[in-house]
Amino acid sequence: MANIQKKYIILSSIVVVLAVILILTVTLKNKGYSLPQFKTINTQLSEITITRNGNETITIKFNDNKWTVNDKYNADANAVESITNAFNNIQPVELLSRGSDEILAKYSLTDNEALIVKAKDSSSKEVRNIKFGMKANFGNLVYAQINNDKNVYLIGNTPINPKDIFDKTEDDLINKTISSVKIDDINKIAISYNNNSYTIEKTDSTNWTKTWNNKNIDQNDIYSSLYSIANLEADGLIKDNAQTKSNLLYKVEIYTSDNKTVSYNIYSKTDNYEIELVNDNNRYYLLESSFQNLEEKINDIIKN
């Protein structure tokens, strides 16, 4: 009888231990201790696609050492770099659910609601496939599915919400830089306005001369104006090529120390002010506020 009780106690103990192990295993797994991890991408990406709501797809491709958007526009290098960096930083932080139609709908992960981001490397191998749903109410986290895994995870590990990094429109991704020139690299700037030409030349590292009146100017007095003219971003792209150009207001030519010239034209307002970068087939625009700021800087050069 004592032996039977002893065996029963031992058997019961084994069952309890196994049950505890099973519970801990399930608990730890659901707590994220067996989470999948994205492998670091060590090769050049060749293509990134962003599909929104199942019907709008933006394609970013890397060819000839540059990124293009939808095979038409030069990409904003900083915007693309933010995306490619996030691919290597983002990670699952918690397993939320095994996934079901009800769960997918609850967290906006259906194909008609999700933001789907995919990336291929230079061999056209898919190295990222992330389906973003709704953002969590806490932390920089978002509900997501990864690499065709049916599970739903909370993913994060980025300084801002991961979805915000990837949730970009075509306009967000297009390069809108008209001019980006360091003041130290400029030899002279020529501005044409109202049938007159105004040229300001650098005489040394800290002084400039207005050639139309031979007035010498300390660079510190016009630094802000020089910077704004030489470092200009458009507010957007004019996609209706049938839109007629208005009258030319300003022509700006920036001559650099390495014998390069950046030239752009500003046209009078229709819906907005059109700005044309010479040797660029795209058409850009400036909003009223941006134009007023630029015109103020131009007037600081030509009217004082």
Side-chain angles (χ1 to χ4, degrees), residues 11-29:
L11 183 60
S12 298
S13 299
I14 292 172
V15 171
V16 169
V17 170
L18 290 174
V20 169
I21 292 173
L22 178 61
I23 291 170
L24 285 174
T25 300
V26 173
T27 300
L28 291 176
K29 182 166 183 148

Short mmCIF file of all heavy atoms in Angstrom, two decimals, residues 11-29:
data_model
loop_
_atom_site.label_atom_id
_atom_site.label_comp_id
_atom_site.label_asym_id
_atom_site.label_seq_id
_atom_site.Cartn_x
_atom_site.Cartn_y
_atom_site.Cartn_z
N LEU A 11 4.18 9.93 -9.62
CA LEU A 11 3.49 10.14 -10.89
C LEU A 11 2.80 11.50 -10.92
O LEU A 11 2.87 12.24 -11.91
CB LEU A 11 2.48 9.01 -11.13
CG LEU A 11 1.72 9.05 -12.46
CD1 LEU A 11 2.70 8.98 -13.63
CD2 LEU A 11 0.73 7.89 -12.54
N SER A 12 2.15 11.83 -9.81
CA SER A 12 1.45 13.12 -9.72
C SER A 12 2.45 14.28 -9.84
O SER A 12 2.18 15.30 -10.49
CB SER A 12 0.70 13.22 -8.40
OG SER A 12 -0.29 12.23 -8.32
N SER A 13 3.60 14.09 -9.20
CA SER A 13 4.63 15.13 -9.26
C SER A 13 5.13 15.34 -10.68
O SER A 13 5.34 16.48 -11.13
CB SER A 13 5.81 14.76 -8.35
OG SER A 13 5.37 14.65 -7.01
N ILE A 14 5.31 14.22 -11.40
CA ILE A 14 5.75 14.31 -12.79
C ILE A 14 4.73 15.05 -13.64
O ILE A 14 5.07 15.92 -14.46
CB ILE A 14 6.02 12.90 -13.37
CG1 ILE A 14 7.24 12.27 -12.67
CG2 ILE A 14 6.25 12.97 -14.87
CD1 ILE A 14 7.47 10.82 -13.04
N VAL A 15 3.44 14.71 -13.42
CA VAL A 15 2.37 15.37 -14.18
C VAL A 15 2.36 16.87 -13.90
O VAL A 15 2.22 17.69 -14.80
CB VAL A 15 1.00 14.74 -13.84
CG1 VAL A 15 -0.13 15.57 -14.43
CG2 VAL A 15 0.93 13.31 -14.32
N VAL A 16 2.52 17.23 -12.62
CA VAL A 16 2.53 18.64 -12.24
C VAL A 16 3.71 19.37 -12.89
O VAL A 16 3.57 20.47 -13.43
CB VAL A 16 2.60 18.79 -10.70
CG1 VAL A 16 2.88 20.24 -10.32
CG2 VAL A 16 1.30 18.31 -10.07
N VAL A 17 4.89 18.72 -12.85
CA VAL A 17 6.08 19.33 -13.45
C VAL A 17 5.89 19.54 -14.95
O VAL A 17 6.22 20.60 -15.51
CB VAL A 17 7.32 18.47 -13.17
CG1 VAL A 17 8.52 18.98 -14.00
CG2 VAL A 17 7.67 18.49 -11.69
N LEU A 18 5.35 18.51 -15.61
CA LEU A 18 5.12 18.62 -17.06
C LEU A 18 4.12 19.72 -17.38
O LEU A 18 4.27 20.47 -18.35
CB LEU A 18 4.64 17.28 -17.62
CG LEU A 18 5.68 16.15 -17.66
CD1 LEU A 18 5.03 14.84 -18.09
CD2 LEU A 18 6.83 16.51 -18.60
N ALA A 19 3.09 19.81 -16.54
CA ALA A 19 2.08 20.85 -16.75
C ALA A 19 2.69 22.24 -16.59
O ALA A 19 2.41 23.16 -17.36
CB ALA A 19 0.92 20.66 -15.77
N VAL A 20 3.54 22.37 -15.56
CA VAL A 20 4.20 23.66 -15.33
C VAL A 20 5.09 24.02 -16.52
O VAL A 20 5.11 25.16 -16.98
CB VAL A 20 5.01 23.62 -14.02
CG1 VAL A 20 5.91 24.86 -13.91
CG2 VAL A 20 4.09 23.53 -12.82
N ILE A 21 5.85 23.01 -17.01
CA ILE A 21 6.72 23.24 -18.16
C ILE A 21 5.92 23.68 -19.37
O ILE A 21 6.28 24.61 -20.10
CB ILE A 21 7.54 21.98 -18.48
CG1 ILE A 21 8.57 21.72 -17.36
CG2 ILE A 21 8.25 22.12 -19.83
CD1 ILE A 21 9.30 20.41 -17.50
N LEU A 22 4.78 23.02 -19.61
CA LEU A 22 3.93 23.36 -20.75
C LEU A 22 3.39 24.78 -20.63
O LEU A 22 3.42 25.56 -21.59
CB LEU A 22 2.78 22.35 -20.84
CG LEU A 22 1.76 22.60 -21.99
CD1 LEU A 22 2.47 22.53 -23.34
CD2 LEU A 22 0.63 21.58 -21.91
N ILE A 23 2.92 25.12 -19.43
CA ILE A 23 2.38 26.46 -19.20
C ILE A 23 3.45 27.52 -19.41
O ILE A 23 3.23 28.55 -20.05
CB ILE A 23 1.76 26.56 -17.79
CG1 ILE A 23 0.50 25.69 -17.70
CG2 ILE A 23 1.44 28.01 -17.44
CD1 ILE A 23 -0.04 25.54 -16.29
N LEU A 24 4.64 27.25 -18.86
CA LEU A 24 5.73 28.21 -19.01
C LEU A 24 6.14 28.38 -20.46
O LEU A 24 6.43 29.49 -20.93
CB LEU A 24 6.94 27.77 -18.18
CG LEU A 24 6.82 27.97 -16.66
CD1 LEU A 24 8.01 27.35 -15.96
CD2 LEU A 24 6.71 29.45 -16.32
N THR A 25 6.16 27.24 -21.19
CA THR A 25 6.53 27.29 -22.61
C THR A 25 5.57 28.15 -23.39
O THR A 25 5.97 29.01 -24.18
CB THR A 25 6.58 25.87 -23.20
OG1 THR A 25 7.53 25.08 -22.50
CG2 THR A 25 6.95 25.92 -24.69
N VAL A 26 4.28 27.91 -23.19
CA VAL A 26 3.25 28.69 -23.90
C VAL A 26 3.32 30.15 -23.48
O VAL A 26 3.26 31.06 -24.31
CB VAL A 26 1.84 28.11 -23.61
CG1 VAL A 26 0.77 29.03 -24.20
CG2 VAL A 26 1.72 26.71 -24.18
N THR A 27 3.48 30.38 -22.18
CA THR A 27 3.53 31.75 -21.66
C THR A 27 4.72 32.51 -22.23
O THR A 27 4.60 33.64 -22.70
CB THR A 27 3.60 31.75 -20.12
OG1 THR A 27 2.44 31.09 -19.60
CG2 THR A 27 3.65 33.18 -19.59
N LEU A 28 5.89 31.86 -22.18
CA LEU A 28 7.09 32.51 -22.68
C LEU A 28 7.00 32.79 -24.17
O LEU A 28 7.41 33.83 -24.65
CB LEU A 28 8.33 31.65 -22.37
CG LEU A 28 8.71 31.56 -20.90
CD1 LEU A 28 9.89 30.61 -20.73
CD2 LEU A 28 9.04 32.93 -20.33
N LYS A 29 6.40 31.85 -24.89
CA LYS A 29 6.27 32.05 -26.33
C LYS A 29 5.37 33.23 -26.61
O LYS A 29 5.67 34.09 -27.44
CB LYS A 29 5.72 30.78 -26.98
CG LYS A 29 5.60 30.93 -28.50
CD LYS A 29 5.40 29.60 -29.18
CE LYS A 29 5.35 29.77 -30.66
NZ LYS A 29 5.85 28.69 -31.41
#
